[in-house]
Amino acid sequence: MTSWLIGWAIFLIYLLGFLSAVLALMSSRTSQGAIAWIISLVTFPYLAVPAYWIFGRPRFYGYVSARGERDSVLRRVLARYRERVEPFITQSQEADIRAVEQLAMMPMTGGNCAGLLIDGEATFESLFDGIERAEDYLLIQFFIVRHDALGIDLKQRLVRAVERGVRVYFLYDEIGSHNLRDGYLRELAEAGIEVSPFRSSRGFRHRFQLNFRNHRKVMVIDGCEGWLGGFNVGVEYLGQHHRHGHWRDTHLKLTGPSVLGLQEAFWEDWHWATGEVINLAWTPRITCEDNQNVVIVPSGPADRQETASLLVQHAIHSANKMFWVTSPYFVPDQGVQDALRLAAMRGVDVRIMIPERPDHLLVFLSAFSFLPDMLRAGVKVYRYQPGFLHQKVMLIDDVAASVGTVNLDNRSFRLNFEITAVVPDKRFAAEVRQMLDRDFSRCRLITLEELTSRPLWRKLVSRAAYLLSPIQ
């Protein structure tokens, strides 16, 4: 009897391995990933099956189905919102912008003001001032929230906002904020704040979707002011961490119709997490005279396209004179690597800024496996010296720039929910270039000799780390 049960158990495990391999064949986004999973699932199903259902799922299926409900309240409200935005839509003849709009599934709007927020003090001063100005509602979302001095300051400000009659919706990623104490969240809820984790594994059908993250950092007040960028909530983002020291990051403040794009992204995330459709203001408001064009580009594993990767590739291909990009984690997919090399070969000034000091060792080591080919093609790679570099910024010629949450790695491209503001405006691009010029002056240029002279064991470690990059 015992041997019969063991035999059936082995048969079921191999059957699950075979069925999972079929799913990997039909749904993996890269041929390399499909081959690796199929071989593992068929050969070692005992280990590979649970690993695949946690790390190998290519799309966030629950979010896809929630987004696709034809007769949902969400769809009807968004249809009315889009109608109200139409008078503010900027018609562009540029194919570059039309492609960005198609990726974003959102239009480019005019009448906006985009203001750079450089480093932590300026960013949190702006965020906290915004909280004090909120009159109707406040939407706030972070990947990481810490229960430290900055987190407590945020909590107290949110509680005061509720006391004066503001509706506050607080969304956090339960994996990114895994160290956040229950007491912190309980105090928010007891004060009347609507609190929810993102719930990437919500429901029985989606309980294995643990590898997806909501990496967005968004705040919106009253539908007329919004913020996004690289900052989470913790004292290390103010440079108060013994290991990281100075924290170099960039956030963006928006006013105008583009804020409704940020609001829509939060609204969909909140609907997924809670099932609720919250009542918000959807009438665009112009409150500044800058009249800058902005496209909000949400991206994530529920998209039909690989939005984040395609956005970066499109930006590289659009550059004629310069393409500068900063990212704390630089392990791009083959498409982005090829685009960077080709741009350098056709004479574009391609510069990549990464940290000198890593905070994720495997990701840091991965880059050294392909950087020599980058340098041989003419790509310049710089390492930021004063502290930890965390900003996610792109500059395309002197005509456009972007600020957002997307890192140049597989996690941001395929596993994380991210958000980016693309600003095709020469004045904004000039401000970003001035900012990056200062940053590059604090970097050192990596040389090809530096990489090729490394000992063999370090090259092997880098290559092994790169092979693990799809799940980092």
Side-chain angles (χ1 to χ4, degrees), residues 383-408:
R383 295 177 67 173
Y384 186 73
Q385 298 297 298
F388 186 66
L389 177 84
H390 193 252
Q391 62 176 329
K392 305 95 166 50
V393 175
M394 292 190 294
L395 175 65
I396 304 97
D397 294 337
D398 56 356
V399 298
S402 73
V403 177
T405 68
V406 175
N407 297 310
L408 268 65

PDB file of all heavy atoms in Angstrom, residues 383-408:
ATOM      1  N   ARG A 383      30.481  55.469 -12.433  1.00  0.00           N
ATOM      2  CA  ARG A 383      30.084  55.003 -11.107  1.00  0.00           C
ATOM      3  C   ARG A 383      30.090  56.185 -10.143  1.00  0.00           C
ATOM      4  O   ARG A 383      31.104  56.868  -9.971  1.00  0.00           O
ATOM      5  CB  ARG A 383      31.003  53.878 -10.636  1.00  0.00           C
ATOM      6  CG  ARG A 383      30.865  52.635 -11.511  1.00  0.00           C
ATOM      7  CD  ARG A 383      31.802  51.522 -11.127  1.00  0.00           C
ATOM      8  NE  ARG A 383      31.479  50.963  -9.822  1.00  0.00           N
ATOM      9  CZ  ARG A 383      32.090  49.880  -9.325  1.00  0.00           C
ATOM     10  NH1 ARG A 383      33.017  49.245 -10.038  1.00  0.00           N
ATOM     11  NH2 ARG A 383      31.758  49.427  -8.139  1.00  0.00           N
ATOM     12  N   TYR A 384      28.944  56.416  -9.521  1.00  0.00           N
ATOM     13  CA  TYR A 384      28.735  57.572  -8.653  1.00  0.00           C
ATOM     14  C   TYR A 384      29.488  57.376  -7.343  1.00  0.00           C
ATOM     15  O   TYR A 384      29.363  56.340  -6.687  1.00  0.00           O
ATOM     16  CB  TYR A 384      27.240  57.746  -8.401  1.00  0.00           C
ATOM     17  CG  TYR A 384      26.875  58.994  -7.643  1.00  0.00           C
ATOM     18  CD1 TYR A 384      26.931  60.233  -8.256  1.00  0.00           C
ATOM     19  CD2 TYR A 384      26.460  58.921  -6.315  1.00  0.00           C
ATOM     20  CE1 TYR A 384      26.583  61.387  -7.567  1.00  0.00           C
ATOM     21  CE2 TYR A 384      26.112  60.060  -5.616  1.00  0.00           C
ATOM     22  CZ  TYR A 384      26.177  61.292  -6.248  1.00  0.00           C
ATOM     23  OH  TYR A 384      25.836  62.428  -5.556  1.00  0.00           O
ATOM     24  N   GLN A 385      30.249  58.409  -6.923  1.00  0.00           N
ATOM     25  CA  GLN A 385      31.185  58.254  -5.822  1.00  0.00           C
ATOM     26  C   GLN A 385      30.684  58.664  -4.434  1.00  0.00           C
ATOM     27  O   GLN A 385      30.963  57.962  -3.449  1.00  0.00           O
ATOM     28  CB  GLN A 385      32.467  59.059  -6.130  1.00  0.00           C
ATOM     29  CG  GLN A 385      33.205  58.570  -7.371  1.00  0.00           C
ATOM     30  CD  GLN A 385      33.705  57.143  -7.219  1.00  0.00           C
ATOM     31  OE1 GLN A 385      34.514  56.864  -6.351  1.00  0.00           O
ATOM     32  NE2 GLN A 385      33.197  56.247  -8.048  1.00  0.00           N
ATOM     33  N   PRO A 386      29.969  59.793  -4.262  1.00  0.00           N
ATOM     34  CA  PRO A 386      29.747  60.290  -2.896  1.00  0.00           C
ATOM     35  C   PRO A 386      28.927  59.401  -1.991  1.00  0.00           C
ATOM     36  O   PRO A 386      29.052  59.467  -0.766  1.00  0.00           O
ATOM     37  CB  PRO A 386      29.029  61.636  -3.130  1.00  0.00           C
ATOM     38  CG  PRO A 386      29.354  62.020  -4.524  1.00  0.00           C
ATOM     39  CD  PRO A 386      29.478  60.735  -5.279  1.00  0.00           C
ATOM     40  N   GLY A 387      28.036  58.574  -2.537  1.00  0.00           N
ATOM     41  CA  GLY A 387      27.167  57.737  -1.718  1.00  0.00           C
ATOM     42  C   GLY A 387      26.428  56.756  -2.606  1.00  0.00           C
ATOM     43  O   GLY A 387      26.974  56.287  -3.604  1.00  0.00           O
ATOM     44  N   PHE A 388      25.171  56.476  -2.257  1.00  0.00           N
ATOM     45  CA  PHE A 388      24.399  55.525  -3.057  1.00  0.00           C
ATOM     46  C   PHE A 388      23.520  56.261  -4.062  1.00  0.00           C
ATOM     47  O   PHE A 388      22.787  57.196  -3.701  1.00  0.00           O
ATOM     48  CB  PHE A 388      23.524  54.649  -2.159  1.00  0.00           C
ATOM     49  CG  PHE A 388      22.816  53.567  -2.931  1.00  0.00           C
ATOM     50  CD1 PHE A 388      23.534  52.543  -3.532  1.00  0.00           C
ATOM     51  CD2 PHE A 388      21.440  53.587  -3.076  1.00  0.00           C
ATOM     52  CE1 PHE A 388      22.891  51.551  -4.263  1.00  0.00           C
ATOM     53  CE2 PHE A 388      20.788  52.598  -3.800  1.00  0.00           C
ATOM     54  CZ  PHE A 388      21.518  51.572  -4.392  1.00  0.00           C
ATOM     55  N   LEU A 389      23.584  55.838  -5.321  1.00  0.00           N
ATOM     56  CA  LEU A 389      22.786  56.405  -6.400  1.00  0.00           C
ATOM     57  C   LEU A 389      21.516  55.581  -6.569  1.00  0.00           C
ATOM     58  O   LEU A 389      21.587  54.374  -6.802  1.00  0.00           O
ATOM     59  CB  LEU A 389      23.588  56.405  -7.707  1.00  0.00           C
ATOM     60  CG  LEU A 389      22.831  56.907  -8.927  1.00  0.00           C
ATOM     61  CD1 LEU A 389      22.885  58.431  -8.988  1.00  0.00           C
ATOM     62  CD2 LEU A 389      23.406  56.311 -10.205  1.00  0.00           C
ATOM     63  N   HIS A 390      20.348  56.229  -6.479  1.00  0.00           N
ATOM     64  CA  HIS A 390      19.072  55.508  -6.549  1.00  0.00           C
ATOM     65  C   HIS A 390      18.111  56.102  -7.570  1.00  0.00           C
ATOM     66  O   HIS A 390      17.028  55.563  -7.794  1.00  0.00           O
ATOM     67  CB  HIS A 390      18.419  55.503  -5.162  1.00  0.00           C
ATOM     68  CG  HIS A 390      17.272  54.559  -5.033  1.00  0.00           C
ATOM     69  ND1 HIS A 390      15.961  54.979  -4.951  1.00  0.00           N
ATOM     70  CD2 HIS A 390      17.236  53.198  -4.969  1.00  0.00           C
ATOM     71  CE1 HIS A 390      15.158  53.932  -4.832  1.00  0.00           C
ATOM     72  NE2 HIS A 390      15.904  52.845  -4.840  1.00  0.00           N
ATOM     73  N   GLN A 391      18.478  57.207  -8.222  1.00  0.00           N
ATOM     74  CA  GLN A 391      17.553  57.875  -9.131  1.00  0.00           C
ATOM     75  C   GLN A 391      17.368  57.075 -10.421  1.00  0.00           C
ATOM     76  O   GLN A 391      18.258  56.346 -10.864  1.00  0.00           O
ATOM     77  CB  GLN A 391      18.043  59.282  -9.459  1.00  0.00           C
ATOM     78  CG  GLN A 391      19.387  59.341 -10.162  1.00  0.00           C
ATOM     79  CD  GLN A 391      19.775  60.753 -10.554  1.00  0.00           C
ATOM     80  OE1 GLN A 391      18.933  61.594 -10.836  1.00  0.00           O
ATOM     81  NE2 GLN A 391      21.072  61.039 -10.560  1.00  0.00           N
ATOM     82  N   LYS A 392      16.179  57.236 -11.038  1.00  0.00           N
ATOM     83  CA  LYS A 392      15.848  56.566 -12.305  1.00  0.00           C
ATOM     84  C   LYS A 392      15.432  57.653 -13.290  1.00  0.00           C
ATOM     85  O   LYS A 392      14.263  58.069 -13.345  1.00  0.00           O
ATOM     86  CB  LYS A 392      14.711  55.567 -12.116  1.00  0.00           C
ATOM     87  CG  LYS A 392      14.962  54.511 -11.003  1.00  0.00           C
ATOM     88  CD  LYS A 392      14.351  54.936  -9.694  1.00  0.00           C
ATOM     89  CE  LYS A 392      14.241  53.844  -8.648  1.00  0.00           C
ATOM     90  NZ  LYS A 392      15.362  53.046  -8.346  1.00  0.00           N
ATOM     91  N   VAL A 393      16.402  58.143 -14.065  1.00  0.00           N
ATOM     92  CA  VAL A 393      16.213  59.304 -14.935  1.00  0.00           C
ATOM     93  C   VAL A 393      16.765  58.989 -16.309  1.00  0.00           C
ATOM     94  O   VAL A 393      17.806  58.324 -16.435  1.00  0.00           O
ATOM     95  CB  VAL A 393      16.926  60.548 -14.344  1.00  0.00           C
ATOM     96  CG1 VAL A 393      16.846  61.728 -15.295  1.00  0.00           C
ATOM     97  CG2 VAL A 393      16.315  60.918 -12.997  1.00  0.00           C
ATOM     98  N   MET A 394      16.070  59.456 -17.359  1.00  0.00           N
ATOM     99  CA  MET A 394      16.580  59.365 -18.722  1.00  0.00           C
ATOM    100  C   MET A 394      16.565  60.750 -19.349  1.00  0.00           C
ATOM    101  O   MET A 394      15.645  61.536 -19.109  1.00  0.00           O
ATOM    102  CB  MET A 394      15.727  58.416 -19.585  1.00  0.00           C
ATOM    103  CG  MET A 394      15.806  56.968 -19.211  1.00  0.00           C
ATOM    104  SD  MET A 394      15.018  55.858 -20.447  1.00  0.00           S
ATOM    105  CE  MET A 394      13.290  56.356 -20.304  1.00  0.00           C
ATOM    106  N   LEU A 395      17.583  61.033 -20.167  1.00  0.00           N
ATOM    107  CA  LEU A 395      17.660  62.279 -20.938  1.00  0.00           C
ATOM    108  C   LEU A 395      17.868  61.921 -22.401  1.00  0.00           C
ATOM    109  O   LEU A 395      18.807  61.193 -22.735  1.00  0.00           O
ATOM    110  CB  LEU A 395      18.808  63.147 -20.432  1.00  0.00           C
ATOM    111  CG  LEU A 395      19.088  64.435 -21.219  1.00  0.00           C
ATOM    112  CD1 LEU A 395      17.903  65.396 -21.104  1.00  0.00           C
ATOM    113  CD2 LEU A 395      20.353  65.123 -20.723  1.00  0.00           C
ATOM    114  N   ILE A 396      16.972  62.411 -23.258  1.00  0.00           N
ATOM    115  CA  ILE A 396      17.036  62.128 -24.689  1.00  0.00           C
ATOM    116  C   ILE A 396      17.309  63.426 -25.421  1.00  0.00           C
ATOM    117  O   ILE A 396      16.448  64.316 -25.494  1.00  0.00           O
ATOM    118  CB  ILE A 396      15.727  61.485 -25.204  1.00  0.00           C
ATOM    119  CG1 ILE A 396      15.396  60.214 -24.410  1.00  0.00           C
ATOM    120  CG2 ILE A 396      15.840  61.163 -26.675  1.00  0.00           C
ATOM    121  CD1 ILE A 396      14.403  60.432 -23.302  1.00  0.00           C
ATOM    122  N   ASP A 397      18.532  63.562 -25.969  1.00  0.00           N
ATOM    123  CA  ASP A 397      18.974  64.779 -26.638  1.00  0.00           C
ATOM    124  C   ASP A 397      18.721  65.981 -25.724  1.00  0.00           C
ATOM    125  O   ASP A 397      18.888  65.898 -24.522  1.00  0.00           O
ATOM    126  CB  ASP A 397      18.281  64.930 -27.998  1.00  0.00           C
ATOM    127  CG  ASP A 397      18.693  63.828 -28.975  1.00  0.00           C
ATOM    128  OD1 ASP A 397      19.772  63.251 -28.767  1.00  0.00           O
ATOM    129  OD2 ASP A 397      17.942  63.526 -29.911  1.00  0.00           O
ATOM    130  N   ASP A 398      18.302  67.087 -26.332  1.00  0.00           N
ATOM    131  CA  ASP A 398      17.944  68.255 -25.523  1.00  0.00           C
ATOM    132  C   ASP A 398      16.452  68.524 -25.620  1.00  0.00           C
ATOM    133  O   ASP A 398      16.003  69.646 -25.436  1.00  0.00           O
ATOM    134  CB  ASP A 398      18.726  69.482 -25.999  1.00  0.00           C
ATOM    135  CG  ASP A 398      18.523  69.766 -27.490  1.00  0.00           C
ATOM    136  OD1 ASP A 398      17.842  68.954 -28.161  1.00  0.00           O
ATOM    137  OD2 ASP A 398      19.033  70.794 -27.979  1.00  0.00           O
ATOM    138  N   VAL A 399      15.674  67.458 -25.875  1.00  0.00           N
ATOM    139  CA  VAL A 399      14.255  67.660 -26.159  1.00  0.00           C
ATOM    140  C   VAL A 399      13.316  66.951 -25.194  1.00  0.00           C
ATOM    141  O   VAL A 399      12.138  67.310 -25.108  1.00  0.00           O
ATOM    142  CB  VAL A 399      13.915  67.213 -27.603  1.00  0.00           C
ATOM    143  CG1 VAL A 399      14.685  68.042 -28.619  1.00  0.00           C
ATOM    144  CG2 VAL A 399      14.205  65.725 -27.809  1.00  0.00           C
ATOM    145  N   ALA A 400      13.777  65.947 -24.464  1.00  0.00           N
ATOM    146  CA  ALA A 400      12.866  65.191 -23.598  1.00  0.00           C
ATOM    147  C   ALA A 400      13.651  64.543 -22.471  1.00  0.00           C
ATOM    148  O   ALA A 400      14.855  64.261 -22.593  1.00  0.00           O
ATOM    149  CB  ALA A 400      12.118  64.128 -24.394  1.00  0.00           C
ATOM    150  N   ALA A 401      12.944  64.278 -21.380  1.00  0.00           N
ATOM    151  CA  ALA A 401      13.530  63.581 -20.238  1.00  0.00           C
ATOM    152  C   ALA A 401      12.415  62.851 -19.508  1.00  0.00           C
ATOM    153  O   ALA A 401      11.231  63.133 -19.697  1.00  0.00           O
ATOM    154  CB  ALA A 401      14.248  64.552 -19.310  1.00  0.00           C
ATOM    155  N   SER A 402      12.815  61.906 -18.667  1.00  0.00           N
ATOM    156  CA  SER A 402      11.831  61.164 -17.882  1.00  0.00           C
ATOM    157  C   SER A 402      12.346  60.960 -16.465  1.00  0.00           C
ATOM    158  O   SER A 402      13.555  60.879 -16.227  1.00  0.00           O
ATOM    159  CB  SER A 402      11.521  59.806 -18.525  1.00  0.00           C
ATOM    160  OG  SER A 402      12.603  58.907 -18.343  1.00  0.00           O
ATOM    161  N   VAL A 403      11.403  60.869 -15.529  1.00  0.00           N
ATOM    162  CA  VAL A 403      11.677  60.539 -14.139  1.00  0.00           C
ATOM    163  C   VAL A 403      10.642  59.511 -13.721  1.00  0.00           C
ATOM    164  O   VAL A 403       9.462  59.644 -14.056  1.00  0.00           O
ATOM    165  CB  VAL A 403      11.581  61.776 -13.225  1.00  0.00           C
ATOM    166  CG1 VAL A 403      11.806  61.388 -11.765  1.00  0.00           C
ATOM    167  CG2 VAL A 403      12.570  62.847 -13.648  1.00  0.00           C
ATOM    168  N   GLY A 404      11.080  58.479 -13.012  1.00  0.00           N
ATOM    169  CA  GLY A 404      10.115  57.476 -12.602  1.00  0.00           C
ATOM    170  C   GLY A 404      10.685  56.496 -11.610  1.00  0.00           C
ATOM    171  O   GLY A 404      11.606  56.818 -10.847  1.00  0.00           O
ATOM    172  N   THR A 405      10.147  55.277 -11.653  1.00  0.00           N
ATOM    173  CA  THR A 405      10.527  54.236 -10.700  1.00  0.00           C
ATOM    174  C   THR A 405      11.208  53.052 -11.369  1.00  0.00           C
ATOM    175  O   THR A 405      11.588  52.095 -10.686  1.00  0.00           O
ATOM    176  CB  THR A 405       9.282  53.722  -9.948  1.00  0.00           C
ATOM    177  OG1 THR A 405       8.422  53.022 -10.855  1.00  0.00           O
ATOM    178  CG2 THR A 405       8.515  54.858  -9.300  1.00  0.00           C
ATOM    179  N   VAL A 406      11.388  53.081 -12.692  1.00  0.00           N
ATOM    180  CA  VAL A 406      11.891  51.926 -13.434  1.00  0.00           C
ATOM    181  C   VAL A 406      13.409  51.818 -13.331  1.00  0.00           C
ATOM    182  O   VAL A 406      14.137  52.742 -13.713  1.00  0.00           O
ATOM    183  CB  VAL A 406      11.480  52.004 -14.913  1.00  0.00           C
ATOM    184  CG1 VAL A 406      12.111  50.860 -15.713  1.00  0.00           C
ATOM    185  CG2 VAL A 406       9.963  51.968 -15.054  1.00  0.00           C
ATOM    186  N   ASN A 407      13.882  50.686 -12.815  1.00  0.00           N
ATOM    187  CA  ASN A 407      15.297  50.353 -12.885  1.00  0.00           C
ATOM    188  C   ASN A 407      15.566  49.620 -14.193  1.00  0.00           C
ATOM    189  O   ASN A 407      14.658  49.058 -14.798  1.00  0.00           O
ATOM    190  CB  ASN A 407      15.696  49.459 -11.712  1.00  0.00           C
ATOM    191  CG  ASN A 407      15.531  50.145 -10.376  1.00  0.00           C
ATOM    192  OD1 ASN A 407      15.994  51.256 -10.169  1.00  0.00           O
ATOM    193  ND2 ASN A 407      14.836  49.482  -9.459  1.00  0.00           N
ATOM    194  N   LEU A 408      16.814  49.583 -14.610  1.00  0.00           N
ATOM    195  CA  LEU A 408      17.154  48.887 -15.847  1.00  0.00           C
ATOM    196  C   LEU A 408      17.535  47.448 -15.532  1.00  0.00           C
ATOM    197  O   LEU A 408      18.693  47.039 -15.634  1.00  0.00           O
ATOM    198  CB  LEU A 408      18.285  49.605 -16.580  1.00  0.00           C
ATOM    199  CG  LEU A 408      17.808  50.656 -17.611  1.00  0.00           C
ATOM    200  CD1 LEU A 408      17.097  51.796 -16.908  1.00  0.00           C
ATOM    201  CD2 LEU A 408      18.953  51.176 -18.454  1.00  0.00           C
TER     202      LEU A 408
END
